[in-house]
Amino acid sequence: MPLPADIPEVVIDRLPIYYRWLARMDAEGRSTVSSQELGDALGVTPAQIRKDLAYFGRFGKQGSGYSVVRLVEELRLILGLNRRWRMVLVGVGRLGRAIASYQGFGPDGFDLVGVFDASEEEIGGEVGGITVRDVREMESSLGAEPADIGIVAVPAEAAQEVIDALVRAGVRSILNYAPITVQVPRGVRIRRIDPLLSLQSMTYHLSLETDERESAPLQASA
Amino acid sequence: MPLPADIPEVVIDRLPIYYRWLARMDAEGRSTVSSQELGDALGVTPAQIRKDLAYFGRFGKQGSGYSVVRLVEELRLILGLNRRWRMVLVGVGRLGRAIASYQGFGPDGFDLVGVFDASEEEIGGEVGGITVRDVREMESSLGAEPADIGIVAVPAEAAQEVIDALVRAGVRSILNYAPITVQVPRGVRIRRIDPLLSLQSMTYHLSLETDERESAPLQASA
DNA sequence: CCTTGTGAAATAGTTCACAGCA
DNA sequence: TGCTGTGAACTATTTCACAAGG
């Protein structure tokens, strides 16, 4: 592999989107695709797609475009989807249970291998087919059986503490569902899944539109 | 209000993050905060915070910083959080049910006012205290009782169709939980909640780290 | 003719650094 | 003194536009 220099994060974020569409096309038997068509399907400019892919190699053929199978395979390698990843979940409230029972991660190479909670009532119980362990023994558990990714689904108040523990346990990538901004040391990667933030930025635009609509008659008559 | 020109989307996306932290500080009785402290808490540079806020007005005081209550109130107005928003949910599978029963939206002004599904077995049932209606009557239902925001939690195959129907029904903001990229006409705002994409971009970095660690000894000896 | 890969140009976003005010 | 608001400088990202290859 070319093992690239430093690729902008935005580029990395788009690759899974390309990958998903291409994998679907591949499953449907499509053999080639142009940056134009891929871009049309995904709402991205063709130039951007070509630039993004060019960071990693020269996968296309002038005149015909990209081989779908080839590109799927390249993206699998680039994104590290050619192996399985071990995830642990912390928090088995409503949300944690929903995540644990979600069947959509497994087929893509993500295995839930551990579940932790702080509540006496949950510890020892079973969630998503896995026995819930005490979050206080998480650090030592992960020492013996490391995990690649931590999923945090605890209340906001507990999130920082849980994330600190995950980091101490050597987890370098965290998916945070708790509605709070937490600190992580350099080298640890954290992503938030926070629908409320999305809703609140959407209402900014909705409010603007309402204001415009209300003031439009005034402007028209002015 | 200043009713600003065109604010970059990234700025709008940060406001709810500021808002959340400030609301918490306000609840704890904090009276003022500097851009420095806010930035430290949220992992943002102070200059960025000042620039972001300056798009909307001059809320700070030299020497002392920002009044927390004042800023919370300003952000409430800017983000349109001074009123309630009507949301409809489409899809009552596992994920849809989890969303419907999530109690975290209500306190922030988001009300679930309608739930739709395509399955005969679900229609007429109850989810999150609301009767599930046939998605085929969604358009006319929303004509009578409009909604501001649509939440899509259907399988990927159905998502585009459902979103088209929401758009026809006049919904201008959509939160898409379906694992697929869909098309919306200009003027309609869509945000995806897609944990798998986050995981897949995290594994890019995880793979890189693994590669580095493995090749480090070779480099050291070279 | 069609479509890639890519420098160069353009646009967008962030950070600096400091005047000015409390 | 401490901190905001803000032009100016810088950095990042996107788009353009075209040579070159199939």
Side-chain angles (χ1 to χ4, degrees), chain B residues 215-222:
Chain B
S215 62
L218 289 168
Q219 291 186 347
S221 67

Side-chain angles (χ1 to χ4, degrees), chain A residues 27-135:
Chain A
E28 290 177 15
R30 276 296 296 281
S31 64
T32 64
V33 69
S34 66
S35 58
Q36 178 71 56
E37 185 184 359
L38 182 50
D40 287 348
L42 300 176
V44 169
T45 64
Q48 180 152 83
I49 287 176
R50 295 200 300 274
K51 260 254 145 108
D52 286 353
L53 295 175
Y55 277 107
F56 301 94
R58 301 148 72 100
F59 306 134
K61 277 196 178 48
Q62 284 141 324
S64 62
Y66 300 87
S67 151
V68 175
V69 257
R70 166 87 193 282
L71 209 41
V72 166
E73 188 50 29
E74 295 288 354
L75 287 172
R76 273 174 61 83
L77 290 173
I78 293 164
L79 291 171
L81 306 178
N82 54 325
R83 71 174 202 68
R84 303 198 69 82
W85 296 93
R86 299 166 53 84
M87 307 194 298
V88 291
L89 168 70
V90 191
V92 296
R94 251 190 227 282
L95 178 61
R97 278 168 207 279
I99 294 166
S101 60
Y102 177 56
Q103 305 297 314
F105 295 144
D108 283 282
F110 296 91
D111 297 313
L112 189 63
V113 299
V115 176
F116 299 90
D117 199 285
S119 147
E120 282 301 336
E121 282 163 32
E122 302 292 357
I123 295 165
E126 203 158 279
V127 165
I130 297 175
T131 303
V132 180
R133 280 176 287 170
D134 192 330
V135 70

Side-chain angles (χ1 to χ4, degrees), chain A residues 3-4 7 9 12-13 16-17 20 24 40-42 56 78-81 85 87 94 98 101 105 108 110 148-149 156 172-175 177 179-181 183 187 189 191-209 211 213, chain B residues 3-4 7 9 12-13 16-17 20 24 40-42 56 78-81 85 87 94 98 101 105 108 110 148-149 156 172-175 177 179-181 183 187 189 191-209 211 213:
Chain A
L3 241 297
I7 319 283
E9 190 60 29
I12 306 305
D13 285 351
I17 299 170
R20 183 141 77 192
R24 249 172 222 159
D40 287 348
L42 300 176
F56 301 94
I78 293 164
L79 291 171
L81 306 178
W85 296 93
M87 307 194 298
R94 251 190 227 282
S101 60
F105 295 144
D108 283 282
F110 296 91
D148 304 297
I149 297 165
R172 317 286 307 248
S173 288
I174 293 167
L175 198 57
Y177 283 82
I180 190 171
T181 303
Q183 313 280 339
R189 198 150 263 111
R191 305 277 251 150
R192 62 178 132 222
I193 301 291
D194 199 330
L196 185 59
L197 296 183
S198 300
L199 290 174
Q200 291 180 337
S201 62
M202 291 197 302
T203 55
Y204 166 80
H205 297 284
L206 286 171
S207 303
L208 270 194
E209 285 163 21
D211 293 351
R213 207 153 298 149
Chain B
L3 241 299
I7 319 284
E9 190 60 28
I12 305 306
D13 286 351
I17 299 170
R20 182 140 79 191
R24 250 173 220 157
D40 287 348
L42 299 177
F56 301 95
I78 292 164
L79 291 171
L81 305 178
W85 297 93
M87 307 194 298
R94 251 188 226 285
S101 58
F105 294 144
D108 283 283
F110 296 90
D148 303 297
I149 297 166
R172 315 286 306 248
S173 288
I174 293 167
L175 198 57
Y177 283 82
I180 189 170
T181 303
Q183 312 280 339
R189 197 150 263 110
R191 306 276 252 149
R192 63 178 131 221
I193 302 291
D194 199 329
L196 185 59
L197 296 183
S198 300
L199 290 174
Q200 291 180 337
S201 62
M202 291 197 302
T203 54
Y204 166 80
H205 298 283
L206 286 171
S207 302
L208 269 195
E209 284 164 20
D211 293 353
R213 207 154 298 151

Side-chain angles (χ1 to χ4, degrees), chain A residues 3-25:
Chain A
L3 241 297
D6 73 314
I7 319 283
E9 190 60 29
V10 265
V11 173
I12 306 305
D13 285 351
R14 282 190 293 263
L15 299 185
I17 299 170
Y18 303 163
Y19 173 74
R20 183 141 77 192
W21 190 86
L22 289 162
R24 249 172 222 159
M25 286 301 114

Side-chain angles (χ1 to χ4, degrees), chain B residues 2-183:
Chain B
L3 241 299
D6 72 314
I7 319 284
E9 190 60 28
V10 265
V11 173
I12 305 306
D13 286 351
R14 282 190 293 263
L15 298 185
I17 299 170
Y18 303 163
Y19 173 73
R20 182 140 79 191
W21 190 87
L22 289 162
R24 250 173 220 157
M25 286 302 115
D26 187 31
E28 290 177 15
R30 277 295 298 282
S31 63
T32 63
V33 70
S34 66
S35 58
Q36 178 73 57
E37 185 185 0
L38 182 50
D40 287 348
L42 299 177
V44 170
T45 64
Q48 180 150 82
I49 287 175
R50 295 200 299 275
K51 260 255 145 105
D52 286 353
L53 295 175
Y55 277 108
F56 301 95
R58 301 147 72 99
F59 306 134
K61 276 196 178 48
Q62 284 140 325
S64 62
Y66 300 88
S67 151
V68 175
V69 256
R70 166 88 193 283
L71 209 40
V72 166
E73 189 50 30
E74 295 287 355
L75 287 171
R76 273 174 61 83
L77 290 173
I78 292 164
L79 291 171
L81 305 178
N82 53 326
R83 71 174 203 69
R84 303 198 69 82
W85 297 93
R86 299 166 52 84
M87 307 194 298
V88 292
L89 168 70
V90 192
V92 296
R94 251 188 226 285
L95 178 60
R97 278 169 208 278
I99 294 166
S101 58
Y102 178 54
Q103 305 295 315
F105 294 144
D108 283 283
F110 296 90
D111 298 313
L112 189 63
V113 299
V115 176
F116 299 91
D117 198 284
S119 145
E120 283 300 336
E121 283 163 31
E122 301 294 355
I123 295 166
E126 203 158 278
V127 164
I130 298 175
T131 302
V132 180
R133 282 176 285 169
D134 191 331
V135 70
R136 281 159 291 252
E137 58 186 62
M138 182 169 73
E139 238 181 291
S140 56
S141 300
L142 293 185
E145 300 229 303
D148 303 297
I149 297 166
I151 302 185
V152 176
V154 302
E157 309 78 64
Q160 183 67 63
E161 192 184 352
V162 160
I163 284 166
D164 291 345
L166 283 168
V167 170
R168 283 195 305 271
V171 173
R172 315 286 306 248
S173 288
I174 293 167
L175 198 57
N176 181 29
Y177 283 82
I180 189 170
T181 303
V182 292
Q183 312 280 339

